[in-house]
């Protein structure tokens, strides 16, 4: 029987596959499937995660939990409600506390009050006083959770959970900070002993109390008919209303009210006995010291296990218990187990990245209260404050800020050894959106001193003299809370140049007062001024001097690597498709600020979220989403702004290390300039001789070259060789263009020329380069107006004026030397005048070789090319090479076989070109040389 052709194809012998060889392939497919399922998982899976994330970040949940726990211990001590009803009551209290801490606290005490009235109507009157104090603490002192903490600590010993009291105190001490923790521990010991003694013998600490507190004296019997011990069994549900009514009736009866005074006297007597008893004093001392040190240690040491180290000091509690028991007896070894449980709990939290210590935050909050009139906020206390890890790029700036501010304050050994002092002021300037304020928030979080955000608008007042009084008071309070940092965001609002205001304006007076206050700071208690601005050129120069703003740091737009990091940071928690290429995104976002990139990421997430909502699955953000956004979302910083920052950076930046800058195009070197060896040697001689052989020049009374004029046809390399000189000689490069001067107007142009020459003197060695100098300094006999003559005059004055141009070279370039003002051409101004001619035969060969380097070629005759390009400039030849290479690209795009560059192709391109040098050009240069000659 014949086998069909189709069957023959299918029955082709295949390689035998063993079961073991399939396992890696199957595993890979399973993992791939898991990734797909994870990437496109249902939104239902994310809702629970979102809820847990909200609970973790919400302080309302923590406060609700705390208030509910306090209510629980009160209800367990004063039993009234049926045990099955307690979860519902606590749930209601927790819900009320989650919505409002104030209402939740008051509601919990109102719920507990009937239970206390039922157990002890006389004691309920005492609790009424506690209730009043709680209201005062909540609404006046803003201590929202302190009452609940006291309820937990004081009443836990009277419940089956009293064993955990030392462990609870350990966690509470970390949360409250040293000062509040010591108060809490002291009052907890007093009240636990007072209540347990008052409710004798049910809760006598020597016999039946698991708080590990002991007291060796039996108080005098309380002569009262009203019951004070909370030992009644809870009523049944049916009798709950009747017992509640009876409790309130007993509360208001004279029989119970008349016992209130004896009860208070008894409590006072017990309190006096307690504070004079040696065993109680020992316990007070050790419990209070343990709480204080546990709260303090995390704020003074730098260690990733600082909470665990601090919790070890809770061992002072069993030590105090042992010393007290050696006097009155009753030592309970279980106290060690309770303390170790607290240490283990803190260690567990720390291992899972949960830091409950708040010593630094508490101290900062207390200091911030002193600025209450101005409403200053500590930047580290703001919600969702960034850390340095969340800021991409600017690693050098982060390191410098830490070394400048933190080290002199915290590393005392370095301060003494090297005499380090923190700077009086720091200025961050740069384009909007580069992260200046974010950097300050991260620095505030990193530091342990107060870092206060000053709203300049709050300092201004409509009343005469009030603004000055405000700033004086602000700095006075700052000295009292020192060391601290005052952060003036948009400092230009108070530091703008005083020349811009009238004499009776408040801003100049405010700035003058601020400057005098900055000068009056003492190094022992430093107050550091930090300012941020995106218009630094408008700041008053007196503010910028060292001694006020010691460090002036430029925060530029992020470079390519920085942009890649910023993309990764802002998309870290977003579902991303596999095709997202961060490096490509970084390349496509040149001139984008960090804020621009964040906005792009958020907008891409919104687009994907919209699709996810429609399809009810998680849709990853793809590269297509990002690229489509880049077509519509343009950078917020323009090139003119960057030029302003570059100028200010050149004039004022003061910092200890160099920030990584944007990647630059490959720099031009001497080898890139063909045939201008004489010009190169002249530039080297003009720049290097005054630096390396100044003594020799003085000996022979040789004046260094001030200026060089390069003239010749366009495209012969005049600008190119100046750029090469700047890179090779490592000189400051300052360029003046006619377009920039005309934009400023004639009066502004004079200032620009003066400023440029001053900047060059400050940053010598420097080269001032004016391309097309004929447009700036044309002959005043034919081409200028009275206003433009001032520009030429200023240029002449700067070149040979009173200020010496030491190690400063002035280079001008033109292709119209005949229209330059003759006064500019004399020796002493342009000492050297050199013609930059078109390249000769050998030079043209070198230019062809340089421009075609690395290109696949076949039998290229450079001699023929050079011979056919007589009269062509270097720019003409570069253009010919570019066109020839472009033809290869077009051929490749059409799918043809890759071609190689040939002489015929280049000659064909040359045939379609004409040299840019004309006869008129050459006649002009001949005439100029006849009149002025060359000075080489």
């Amino acid at each position: 029987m014949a086998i069909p052709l189709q069957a023959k194809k299918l029955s082709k012998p295949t390689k035998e596959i063993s079961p073991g060889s399939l396992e890696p392939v199957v595993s890979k497919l399973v993992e791939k499937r898991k990734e797909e399922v994870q990437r496109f998982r249902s939104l239902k899976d994310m809702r629970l995660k979102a809820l847990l994330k909200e609970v973790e970040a919400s302080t309302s949940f923590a406060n609700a939990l705390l208030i509910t726990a306090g209510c629980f211990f009160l209800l367990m001590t004063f039993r009234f409600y049926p045990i099955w009803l307690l979860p519902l009551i606590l749930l209601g209290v927790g819900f009320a506390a989650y919505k409002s801490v104030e209402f939740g606290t008051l509601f919990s005490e109102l719920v507990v009050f009937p239970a206390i009235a039922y157990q002890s109507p006389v004691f309920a009157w005492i609790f009424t006083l506690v209730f009043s104090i709680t209201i005062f603490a909540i609404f006046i002192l803003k201590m929202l959770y302190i009452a609940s903490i006291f309820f937990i600590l004081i009443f836990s010993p009277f419940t089956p959970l009293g064993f955990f009291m030392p462990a609870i105190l350990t966690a509470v001490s970390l949360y409250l900070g040293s000062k509040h923790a010591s108060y809490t521990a002291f009052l907890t010991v007093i009240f636990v002993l007072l209540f347990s003694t008052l409710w004798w013998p049910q809760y006598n600490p020597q016999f039946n109390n698991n708080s590990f507190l002991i007291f060796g004296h039996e108080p005098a019997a309380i002569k009262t008919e009203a019951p004070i011990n909370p030992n009644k069994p809870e009523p049944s549900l049916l009798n709950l209303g009747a017992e509640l009514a009876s409790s309130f009736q007993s509360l208001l009866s004279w029989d119970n009210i008349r016992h209130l005074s004896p009860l208070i006297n008894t409590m006072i007597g017990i309190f006096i006995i307690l504070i004079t008893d040696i065993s109680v004093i020992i316990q007070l001392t050790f419990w209070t010291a343990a709480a204080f040190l546990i709260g303090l240690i995390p704020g003074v040491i730098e260690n990733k296990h600082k909470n665990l180290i601090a919790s070890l000091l809770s061992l002072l509690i069993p030590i105090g218990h042992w010393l007290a028991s050696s006097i009155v007896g009753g030592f309970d070894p279980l106290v060690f187990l309770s303390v170790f449980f607290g240490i283990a709990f803190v260690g567990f939290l720390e291992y899972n990245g949960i830091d409950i210590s708040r010593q630094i935050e508490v101290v900062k909050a207390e200091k911030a209260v002193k600025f209450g009139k101005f409403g200053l906020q500590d930047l580290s206390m703001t919600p969702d404050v960034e850390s340095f890890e969340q800021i991409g790029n600017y690693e050098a700036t982060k390191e410098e800020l830490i070394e400048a501010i933190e080290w002199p304050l915290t590393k005392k050994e370095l301060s003494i050894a090297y005499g380090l002092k923190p700077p009086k002021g720091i200025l961050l300037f740069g384009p909007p959106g580069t992260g200046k304020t974010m950097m300050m928030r991260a620095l505030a979080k990193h530091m342990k001193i107060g870092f206060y955000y000053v709203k300049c608008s709050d300092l201004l007042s409509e009343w005469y003299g009030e603004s000055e009084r405000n700033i004086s008071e602000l700095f006075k309070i700052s000295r009292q809370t020192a060391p601290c940092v005052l952060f003036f965001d948009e400092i230009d609002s108070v530091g703008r140049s005083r020349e811009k205001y009238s004499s009776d304006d408040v801003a100049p007076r405010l700035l003058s007062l601020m400057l005098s206050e900055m000068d009056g700071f003492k190094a022992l208690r430093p107050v550091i001024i930090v300012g941020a601005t995106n218009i630094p050129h408008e700041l008053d120069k007196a503010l910028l001097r060292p001694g006020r703003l010691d460090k002036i740091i430029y925060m530029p737009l992020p470079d390519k690597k920085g942009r890649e990091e910023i993309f990764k940071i802002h998309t870290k928690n977003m579902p991303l498709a596999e095709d997202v290429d961060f490096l490509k995104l970084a390349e496509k976002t040149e001139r984008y600020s960090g804020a621009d990139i964040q906005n792009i990421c958020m907008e891409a997430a919104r687009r994907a979220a919209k699709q996810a909502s429609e399809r009810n699955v998680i849709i990853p953000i793809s590269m297509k989403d990002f690229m489509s956004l880049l077509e519509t979302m343009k950078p917020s910083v323009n090139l003119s702004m960057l030029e302003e920052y570059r100028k200010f950076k050149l004039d004022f930046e003061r910092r200890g290390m160099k920030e990584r800058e944007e990647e630059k195009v490959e720099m031009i070197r001497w080898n890139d300039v063909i045939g201008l060896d004489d010009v190169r040697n002249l530039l080297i001689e003009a720049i290097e001789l005054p630096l390396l052989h100044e003594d020799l020049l003085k000996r022979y009374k040789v004046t260094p070259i001030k200026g060089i004029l390069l003239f010749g046809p366009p495209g012969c390399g005049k600008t190119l060789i100046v750029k090469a000189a700047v890179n090779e000689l490592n000189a400051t490069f300052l360029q003046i263009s006619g377009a920039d001067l005309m934009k400023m107007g004639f009066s502004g142009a004079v200032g620009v020329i003066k400023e440029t020459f001053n900047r060059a003197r400050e940053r010598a060695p420097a080269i001032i380069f004016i391309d097309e100098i004929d447009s700036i300094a044309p002959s005043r006999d034919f081409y200028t107006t009275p206003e433009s003559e001032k520009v030429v005059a200023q240029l002449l004055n700067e070149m040979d004026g009173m200020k010496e141009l030491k190690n400063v070279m002035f280079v001008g370039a033109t292709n119209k030397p005949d229209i330059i003002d003759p006064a500019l051409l004399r020796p002493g101004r342009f000492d050297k005048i050199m013609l930059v001619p078109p390249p000769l035969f050998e030079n043209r060969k070198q230019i062809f070789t340089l421009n075609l380097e690395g290109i696949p070629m076949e039998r290229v005759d450079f001699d023929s090319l050079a011979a056919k390009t007589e009269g062509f400039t270097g720019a003409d030849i570069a253009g010919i090479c570019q066109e020839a290479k472009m033809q290869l690209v077009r051929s490749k795009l059409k799918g043809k076989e890759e071609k190689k560059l040939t002489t015929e192709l280049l000659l064909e391109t040359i045939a379609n070109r004409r040299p840019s040098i004309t006869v008129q050009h050459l006649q002009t240069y001949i005439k100029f040389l006849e009149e002025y000659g060359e000075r080489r």
Side-chain angles (χ1 to χ4, degrees):
M1 179 172 131
I3 300 175
L5 182 63
Q6 184 71 16
K8 288 182 179 180
K9 291 182 179 179
L10 293 176
S11 62
K12 184 179 179 179
T14 57
K15 183 180 179 180
E16 184 178 354
I17 301 176
S18 64
S21 63
L22 284 175
E23 187 173 345
V25 179
V26 173
S27 300
K28 188 174 182 180
L29 289 174
V30 171
E31 291 297 324
K32 183 86 172 171
R33 177 60 181 163
K34 285 183 179 179
E35 290 178 4
E36 292 294 328
V37 172
Q38 177 70 13
R39 202 159 56 239
F40 291 95
R41 60 190 181 278
S42 171
L43 282 176
K44 293 180 180 179
D45 300 334
M46 298 299 295
R47 289 187 185 114
L48 178 60
K49 184 177 180 181
L51 179 62
L52 294 175
K53 197 73 177 176
E54 182 179 353
V55 166
E56 180 186 3
S58 174
T59 57
S60 300
F61 179 79
N63 292 331
L65 190 64
L66 203 59
I67 292 168
T68 304
C71 182
F72 168 77
F73 283 109
L74 279 169
L75 292 177
M76 290 295 291
T77 303
F78 301 95
R79 295 179 300 278
F80 175 67
Y81 302 102
I83 192 69
W84 60 268
L85 191 59
L86 287 183
L88 296 177
I89 295 173
L90 295 175
L91 188 63
V93 169
F95 179 77
Y98 183 81
K99 294 297 183 181
S100 170
V101 178
E102 296 86 350
F103 176 72
T105 304
L106 298 180
F107 180 64
S108 68
E109 294 188 10
L110 288 174
V111 168
V112 170
F113 189 78
I116 300 176
Y118 167 75
Q119 289 289 348
S120 177
V122 177
F123 193 77
W125 284 105
I126 304 296
F127 188 77
T128 304
L129 176 62
V130 174
F131 186 75
S132 303
I133 295 173
T134 302
I135 294 176
F136 177 79
I138 290 175
F139 292 100
I140 305 301
L141 303 180
K142 301 299 181 182
M143 301 170 69
L144 301 179
Y145 47 80
I146 198 71
S148 298
I149 290 176
F150 271 120
F151 292 154
I152 294 170
L153 288 171
I154 293 173
F155 293 103
S156 61
F158 307 108
T159 70
L161 300 176
F163 168 80
F164 298 102
M165 180 185 170
I168 295 172
L169 181 67
T170 301
V172 165
S173 299
L174 289 169
Y175 186 74
L176 292 180
S178 58
K179 186 169 69 172
H180 293 158
S182 59
Y183 299 160
T184 303
F186 182 87
L187 293 175
T188 296
V189 172
I190 290 293
F191 278 103
V192 168
L193 291 175
L194 189 150
F195 289 152
S196 58
T197 306
L198 184 68
W199 294 331
W200 181 278
Q202 181 183 4
Y203 291 114
N204 181 269
Q206 192 174 5
F207 301 104
N208 189 26
N209 182 34
N210 53 6
S211 67
F212 309 113
L213 293 170
I214 53 177
F215 183 38
H217 296 277
E218 180 180 346
I222 301 174
K223 303 296 183 181
T224 177
E225 298 177 3
I228 59 172
N229 290 341
N231 56 4
K232 292 183 182 179
E234 62 269 15
S236 64
L237 181 62
L238 296 177
N239 295 329
L240 196 64
E243 291 291 346
L244 181 62
S246 176
S247 299
F248 279 103
Q249 185 178 0
S250 300
L251 182 69
L252 300 174
S253 67
W254 173 251
D255 288 339
N256 282 310
I257 294 176
R258 66 188 178 86
H259 292 300
L260 185 59
S261 180
L263 177 61
I264 293 175
N265 291 333
T266 302
M267 293 176 67
I268 294 173
I270 295 173
F271 177 76
I272 294 173
I273 294 173
L274 287 173
I275 62 175
T276 56
D277 185 88
I278 184 65
S279 64
V280 175
I281 292 174
I282 290 173
Q283 293 174 96
L284 278 173
T285 302
F286 278 82
W287 280 67
T288 304
F292 178 82
L293 293 174
I294 291 171
L296 177 68
I297 293 301
V300 297
I301 67 172
E302 289 291 341
N303 192 290
K304 64 178 182 179
H305 300 301
K306 59 183 179 181
N307 288 347
L308 183 61
I309 294 172
S311 66
L312 293 174
L313 292 167
S314 60
L315 291 170
L316 289 172
I317 294 174
I319 294 174
H321 179 69
W322 175 74
L323 290 175
S325 65
S326 65
I327 299 174
V328 300
F331 176 72
D332 188 350
L334 288 178
V335 66
F336 284 99
L337 184 60
S338 175
V339 167
F340 285 135
F341 178 83
I343 295 172
F345 176 70
V346 172
F348 172 78
L349 293 179
E350 196 168 57
Y351 177 79
N352 288 278
I354 301 175
D355 184 5
I356 62 173
S357 62
R358 294 178 62 251
Q359 169 68 11
I360 297 174
E361 290 84 349
V362 169
V363 173
K364 287 184 175 182
E366 290 175 350
K367 290 183 177 181
V369 171
K370 297 181 180 179
F371 293 95
K373 174 182 177 181
F374 305 102
L376 299 193
Q377 186 179 21
D378 193 308
L379 280 180
S380 63
M381 309 293 286
T382 54
D384 301 324
V385 62
E386 298 88 351
S387 62
F388 279 136
E389 291 74 18
Q390 294 173 278
I391 303 177
N393 210 17
Y394 307 114
E395 299 304 322
T397 301
K398 298 173 191 176
E399 185 179 349
E400 184 168 8
L401 288 171
I402 292 173
E403 291 179 3
I405 298 178
E406 186 180 14
W407 282 17
L409 297 175
T410 59
K411 298 181 180 290
K412 300 298 183 183
E413 66 279 8
L414 292 178
S415 299
I416 295 174
Y418 294 97
L420 294 180
K421 295 179 182 178
K424 285 191 174 182
I426 296 175
L427 176 69
L428 292 179
F429 73 95
T434 52
K436 299 180 289 296
T437 304
M438 186 188 299
M439 182 73 75
M440 290 300 100
R441 288 201 297 265
L443 181 63
K445 182 179 180 179
H446 185 83
M447 296 179 63
K448 297 180 180 180
I449 65 174
F451 208 109
Y452 305 109
Y453 184 90
V454 181
K455 294 180 181 178
C456 299
S457 59
D458 292 342
L459 300 177
L460 302 176
S461 173
E462 60 181 344
W463 305 106
Y464 189 84
E466 184 67 21
S467 300
E468 292 87 333
R469 190 178 297 108
N470 285 341
I471 201 165
S472 296
E473 188 174 349
L474 172 66
F475 282 99
K476 180 181 178 182
I477 298 172
S478 301
R479 291 189 185 94
Q480 295 172 356
T481 59
C484 67
V485 177
L486 294 179
F487 174 53
F488 292 82
D489 199 5
E490 308 298 340
I491 194 173
D492 48 272
S493 59
V494 293
R496 199 181 298 265
S497 177
R498 287 169 285 189
E499 298 175 357
K500 298 181 180 292
Y501 296 96
S502 59
S503 58
D504 59 343
D505 202 295
V506 67
R509 301 198 305 271
L510 204 62
L511 177 59
S512 298
L513 181 59
M514 181 177 173
L515 296 177
S516 63
E517 291 286 356
M518 291 176 69
D519 292 337
F521 290 157
K522 297 180 180 178
L524 294 177
R525 296 181 62 81
V527 177
I528 303 170
I529 302 298
V530 176
T533 181
N534 51 29
I535 46 174
H537 50 279
E538 294 195 5
L539 295 178
D540 195 277
K541 298 301 183 287
L543 182 64
L544 297 174
R545 74 161 174 84
R548 287 170 181 161
L549 293 178
D550 296 311
K551 282 187 172 291
I552 298 178
I553 299 175
Y554 179 43
M555 289 191 66
L557 294 174
D559 58 16
K560 185 169 71 176
K561 186 175 181 181
R563 294 192 296 272
E564 183 180 359
E565 292 174 3
I566 294 170
F567 268 112
K568 289 179 180 178
I569 288 172
H570 289 302
T571 58
K572 182 173 61 175
N573 298 320
M574 296 179 183
L576 297 177
E578 293 181 350
D579 65 340
V580 174
D581 186 348
F582 290 113
L583 181 59
K584 185 176 180 181
L585 289 174
E587 292 172 349
K588 293 287 185 180
T589 50
E590 185 177 355
R591 204 159 44 85
Y592 282 70
S593 67
D596 293 334
I597 295 174
Q598 182 184 18
N599 190 31
I600 291 170
C601 295
M602 289 297 103
E603 190 60 34
R606 289 189 191 98
R607 288 191 177 188
K610 181 180 179 181
Q611 299 178 34
S613 178
E614 295 171 353
R615 298 170 56 181
N616 200 32
V617 293
I618 298 297
I619 303 296
I621 304 171
S622 66
M623 190 68 177
K624 183 180 178 181
D625 295 328
F626 286 110
M627 297 304 292
S628 62
L629 284 171
L630 291 179
E631 294 177 1
T632 58
M633 304 181 72
K634 302 304 178 185
S636 58
V637 181
N638 57 50
L639 295 174
S640 62
M641 294 169 62
L642 295 178
E643 183 62 22
E644 291 288 347
Y645 297 129
R646 189 192 68 81
K647 290 179 181 178
F648 187 86
K649 176 179 183 288
L650 203 58
D651 285 339
F652 294 102
E653 187 180 38
R654 293 188 292 271
R655 59 186 308 177
M657 56 187 67
K658 186 177 181 181
E659 178 65 88
R660 183 181 62 205
E661 295 182 353
E662 180 70 49
E663 293 89 354
K664 297 180 180 178
V665 181
E666 185 179 356
M667 290 190 298
I668 299 171
R669 298 295 182 184
W670 291 130
N671 294 335
D672 300 322
V673 184
I674 306 299
L676 299 179
D677 295 341
D678 51 349
V679 180
R680 180 185 64 183
N681 295 334
L682 182 61
L683 288 170
I684 293 174
E685 182 181 277
I687 295 294
E688 290 189 348
L689 273 180
L691 291 175
L692 302 177
H693 305 287
E694 185 178 4
D695 294 340
L696 193 61
L697 294 179
K698 287 182 178 179
R699 178 182 174 186
Y700 290 98
K701 299 180 180 181
V702 176
T703 304
I705 298 171
K706 281 187 177 182
I708 300 174
L709 175 64
L710 302 178
F711 72 94
C716 290
K718 300 183 291 297
T719 305
L720 193 69
I721 195 162
V722 175
K723 291 181 178 179
V726 170
N727 295 327
E728 292 283 2
L729 301 175
N730 197 24
T732 303
F733 181 65
L734 301 171
Q735 185 171 4
I736 302 176
S737 70
D740 289 341
L741 292 182
M742 294 305 102
K743 183 174 64 176
M744 303 294 294
F746 290 114
S747 58
V750 172
V752 170
I753 292 173
K754 183 177 181 181
E755 180 185 355
T756 303
F757 275 85
N758 287 336
R759 188 181 292 120
R761 292 183 183 96
E762 293 171 355
R763 285 161 179 79
I767 295 177
I768 301 174
F769 178 60
I770 300 182
D771 202 1
E772 307 298 341
I773 192 173
D774 51 277
S775 64
I776 296 175
S779 175
R780 287 171 289 180
D781 296 333
F782 306 104
Y783 299 100
T784 60
T785 63
E787 292 79 9
S788 62
E789 284 186 4
K790 297 178 182 178
V791 178
V792 181
Q794 182 65 40
L795 186 60
L796 296 174
N797 289 335
E798 292 293 340
M799 292 187 69
D800 61 352
M802 297 299 293
K803 299 178 182 177
E804 182 184 0
L805 286 177
K806 186 176 181 181
N807 294 330
V808 174
M809 169 66 60
F810 178 69
V811 179
T814 181
N815 52 24
K816 296 181 180 179
D818 55 313
I819 65 172
I820 295 177
D821 193 273
L824 199 62
L825 299 174
R826 72 164 174 82
R829 287 168 180 161
F830 278 135
D831 297 302
K832 302 291 183 181
I833 299 177
M834 299 183 65
L835 171 65
V836 180
L840 301 176
F841 180 84
E842 289 298 328
N843 295 334
R844 293 196 296 275
K845 284 178 57 177
Q846 294 179 35
I847 295 173
F848 271 111
T849 304
L850 182 65
N851 280 278
L852 297 177
E853 186 177 3
I855 305 299
M857 293 181 288
E858 184 178 357
R859 302 185 308 275
V860 174
D861 185 355
F862 289 103
D863 289 334
S864 298
L865 296 176
K868 289 290 184 180
T869 51
E870 185 176 354
F872 283 69
T873 66
D876 292 334
I877 296 174
I880 291 168
C881 295
Q882 283 295 107
E883 178 60 29
K885 289 185 284 187
M886 193 63 196
Q887 290 190 36
L888 298 182
V889 172
R890 294 191 191 104
S891 176
K892 185 66 177 176
L893 290 175
K894 291 179 180 179
K896 297 180 180 179
E897 186 178 350
E898 184 176 0
K899 288 185 177 182
K900 292 185 179 180
L901 204 59
T902 62
T903 305
E904 291 74 16
L905 180 60
L906 288 165
L907 290 175
E908 181 182 344
T909 306
I910 294 171
N912 296 324
R913 297 294 180 100
R914 294 293 180 269
S916 57
I917 302 175
T918 64
V919 176
Q920 290 79 5
H921 282 133
L922 298 178
Q923 290 176 346
T924 299
Y925 303 140
I926 293 171
K927 182 178 179 182
F928 182 81
L929 289 173
E930 289 175 352
E931 292 183 11
Y932 293 96
E934 274 194 297
R935 293 196 287 267
R936 290 180 173 269

